[in-house]
Amino acid sequence: MSSVINLSKVSLNEIKYIVPHQANQRIIDAAAKNLKISKEKFYINIDNYANTSAGSIPIALDELNKNNLLKKGDYIILVGFGGGLSFGAILLKW
């Protein structure tokens, strides 16, 4: 995820939300701590749905949208990971 930020011309302060794969809260907390990013920047809904596997990011985006938490022009980072060492992240402008 830090590579996405470093490669873009967008600062961390400009990013409205980081929407991670919601496998478990400990992983998200560790990522926030290791990257030195406030946990408030992460959109978390695992407490409502548990681990929904590949659906966690789309569900979170839908929630953000339906709750009017995203505005046109907001920057969002989506970050997912799978078994082993596979992962991916994207910075998008809403």
Side-chain angles (χ1 to χ4, degrees):
M1 181 173 55
S2 59
S3 296
V4 170
I5 295 169
N6 292 337
L7 291 171
S8 73
K9 295 186 190 308
V10 177
S11 73
L12 183 58
N13 292 333
E14 294 176 275
I15 296 169
K16 177 89 178 234
Y17 289 107
I18 298 168
V19 181
H21 169 60
Q22 316 259 332
N24 76 48
Q25 188 67 50
R26 288 187 325 258
I27 293 171
I28 298 167
D29 292 345
K33 182 179 178 182
N34 289 337
L35 295 168
K36 297 179 175 80
I37 298 173
S38 169
K39 288 195 310 187
E40 285 73 38
K41 181 107 27 201
F42 288 77
Y43 184 78
I44 307 296
N45 65 2
I46 192 169
D47 52 330
N48 295 327
Y49 303 105
N51 183 353
T52 56
S53 188
S56 63
I57 293 172
I59 290 168
L61 277 177
D62 185 57
E63 267 189 357
L64 284 165
N65 188 44
K66 284 182 177 174
N67 292 319
N68 295 314
L69 297 172
L70 297 173
K71 306 289 184 258
K72 184 177 181 176
D74 283 346
Y75 288 104
I76 308 161
I77 292 179
L78 310 179
V79 59
F81 55 89
L85 298 174
S86 61
F87 66 93
I90 185 170
L91 171 69
L92 62 91
K93 188 173 185 178
W94 191 253

